[in-house]
Amino acid sequence: MANKNKTLGEFIIENQTEFKYSSGELSRLINSIRLAAKVVNHEVNKAGLVDILGTAGETNVQGEDQQKLDIYANDVFIKTLTNREIVCGIASEEEDDFITIAGRNEKNDNKYIVLIDPLDGSSNIDVNVSVGTIFSIYRRITPEGTPVTIDDFLQPGNKQVAAGYIVYGTSTMIVYSTGHGVNGFTLNPAIGTYYLSHPNMQFPEDGTIYSVNEGNYVHFPQGVKDYIKYCQKEEEDRPYTSRYIGSLVSDFHRNMIKGGIYMYPNTSKDPKGKLRLLYECNPMAYIAEQSGGKASDGFTRILDIKPTELHQRVPFFCGSKNMVAKAESFMKKA
Ligand code: AHG
Ligand code: MN
Ligand code: MN
């Protein structure tokens, strides 16, 4: 396969013209994310050395204050995007409010906004299990030349112009889409270059993996309980197997390669669900659909939900098309 040697940098340049408002800005934006991801990757890889280098809240041997990795990742992404003056606004899971970036000469003339979950699966850091970063990109809807407003951030997911994630796993990968399918790039840490390792990724239509925190079972809606029982039933193609890492990015990535469904339903404890629509569900739903998968809140397409607040939560069912459709049918029946 000739294009397996292609680097992410080459790929971005080659595909720039596919993008309908091609001015190079989106390419530069993805380039910045690629760069920030390398910096975060370097720090994530050192996480196991905290006992030697100092834990969060302490001062390390170099006299630097140690930060929690999710705060560190947040700072790296925000600084990289701000310094390069390529976005007009950022919203992050780690920030209460969105950030306005006036850019060159305070002109507010950049077109894109970014929403980000800088470190996803953060509870897995201390135990050497994969974590990730999730990003989502929109074109602003308020006029250029004025500061961004909340309306720019509360667009439905179907307005995304690009989205993706980075998985800091056994290898570090960046997987993203600009609306023309999904491509995955693997970092060669020796030379700091990402190579196109997974061209045109396809979510299998069916699968045999279900991923859900079954510790919450008693709190699930009846439809989810019924669907889980269906997955566990002895039939020709079942029982399915259960796999749950507790890092959305890693669970999603595995399911996209092998075929499966990820579920984080509403529970009696969290009636709106746990995952965040803007930072987690919309970008993952976009990647799922761009690769032939499906994403729903149990009843409605995730990408058609009109957000009402930045940190909104939503139940999430995402993965192989036929599995998500089946889960929805159980929700409807219950
Ligand atoms: P984050 O680390 O960004 O707060 O996200 C954690 C999310 C998601 O990655 C994961 O799938 C889910 O929370 C796990 O939740 P439970 O521990 O409740 O299963
Ligand atoms: Mn997260
Ligand atoms: Mn997070």
Side-chain angles (χ1 to χ4, degrees):
M1 235 191 257
N3 64 3
K4 281 238 168 169
N5 292 323
K6 195 175 291 175
T7 69
L8 175 54
E10 289 161 0
F11 182 89
I12 290 173
I13 293 164
E14 261 173 45
N15 291 279
Q16 193 163 304
T17 47
E18 260 187 1
F19 188 62
K20 67 175 169 181
Y21 315 99
S22 182
S23 63
E25 255 181 273
L26 184 70
S27 302
R28 289 198 292 130
L29 176 45
I30 290 172
N31 241 319
S32 307
I33 291 174
R34 159 180 82 152
L35 176 71
K38 261 194 241 177
V39 177
V40 172
N41 177 61
H42 183 70
E43 207 61 25
V44 166
N45 286 165
K46 288 196 313 202
L49 291 169
V50 284
D51 287 343
I52 302 160
L53 301 177
T55 51
E58 287 175 1
T59 306
N60 70 13
V61 284
Q62 286 95 25
E64 297 158 335
D65 283 336
Q66 290 295 284
Q67 282 177 315
K68 279 184 72 180
L69 214 42
D70 36 15
I71 306 299
Y72 176 84
N74 187 48
D75 287 352
V76 170
F77 279 101
I78 290 177
K79 271 189 199 137
T80 310
L81 294 169
T82 309
N83 293 347
R84 294 187 148 204
E85 301 190 331
I86 41 178
V87 291
C88 50
I90 304 172
S92 163
E93 187 199 81
E94 299 292 337
E95 305 281 335
D96 292 339
D97 210 349
F98 65 87
I99 299 167
T100 307
I101 300 166
R104 283 177 299 275
N105 309 319
E106 306 283 304
K107 274 173 135 173
N108 292 293
D109 58 355
N110 290 317
K111 297 184 194 71
Y112 297 102
I113 59 148
V114 173
L115 295 105
I116 190 152
D117 177 356
L119 207 79
D120 172 67
S122 35
S123 67
N124 281 320
I125 293 167
D126 295 343
V127 289
N128 207 359
V129 170
S130 300
V131 291
T133 294
I134 309 172
F135 62 91
S136 164
I137 302 173
Y138 295 80
R139 221 176 136 84
R140 66 179 303 176
I141 51 169
T142 51
E144 277 174 42
T146 60
V148 285
T149 75
I150 186 73
D151 295 338
D152 293 309
F153 295 91
L154 298 183
Q155 301 184 55
N158 58 33
K159 296 282 189 226
Q160 285 172 107
V161 294
Y165 60 82
I166 296 120
V167 53
Y168 310 100
T170 41
S171 303
T172 293
M173 279 190 72
I174 179 163
V175 174
Y176 79 99
S177 174
T178 54
H180 302 275
V182 177
N183 291 284
F185 302 81
T186 303
L187 179 67
N188 178 344
I191 47 175
T193 304
Y194 297 92
Y195 287 94
L196 178 60
S197 51
H198 296 64
N200 193 20
M201 295 177 83
Q202 297 295 323
F203 221 120
E205 279 192 11
D206 273 300
T208 56
I209 298 172
Y210 71 100
S211 310
V212 65
N213 184 343
E214 261 177 290
N216 294 330
Y217 184 87
V218 295
H219 302 288
F220 285 156
Q222 192 55 44
V224 175
K225 289 181 178 169
D226 295 343
Y227 178 64
I228 291 175
K229 286 294 156 226
Y230 165 87
C231 294
Q232 295 171 341
K233 205 165 167 205
E234 202 80 48
E235 288 285 334
E236 226 179 289
D237 59 335
R238 288 171 277 145
Y240 294 158
T241 191
S242 163
R243 289 283 182 277
Y244 188 74
I245 297 169
S247 283
L248 170 63
V249 167
S250 313
D251 280 309
F252 177 97
H253 185 70
R254 180 205 51 239
N255 290 354
M256 179 163 61
I257 290 172
K258 296 194 165 177
I261 182 171
Y262 176 95
M263 298 182 279
Y264 210 109
N266 51 308
T267 64
S268 43
K269 284 188 300 182
D270 292 309
K272 292 183 173 155
K274 175 184 180 189
L275 298 183
R276 280 135 295 206
L277 175 60
L278 298 185
Y279 314 109
E280 294 171 315
C281 304
N282 271 339
M284 292 320 236
Y286 185 81
I287 297 286
E289 288 197 5
Q290 282 292 323
S291 58
K294 183 171 162 74
S296 148
D297 68 357
F299 302 93
T300 311
R301 183 185 179 216
I302 288 287
L303 295 181
D304 287 340
I305 298 173
K306 172 77 184 86
T308 52
E309 50 185 306
L310 274 182
H311 297 283
Q312 187 169 338
R313 294 172 194 267
V314 72
F316 194 47
F317 299 75
C318 181
S320 292
K321 207 188 331 196
N322 295 341
M323 296 181 89
V324 176
K326 193 67 168 180
E328 277 182 330
S329 75
F330 277 96
M331 295 297 283
K332 235 182 254 146
K333 259 190 273 170

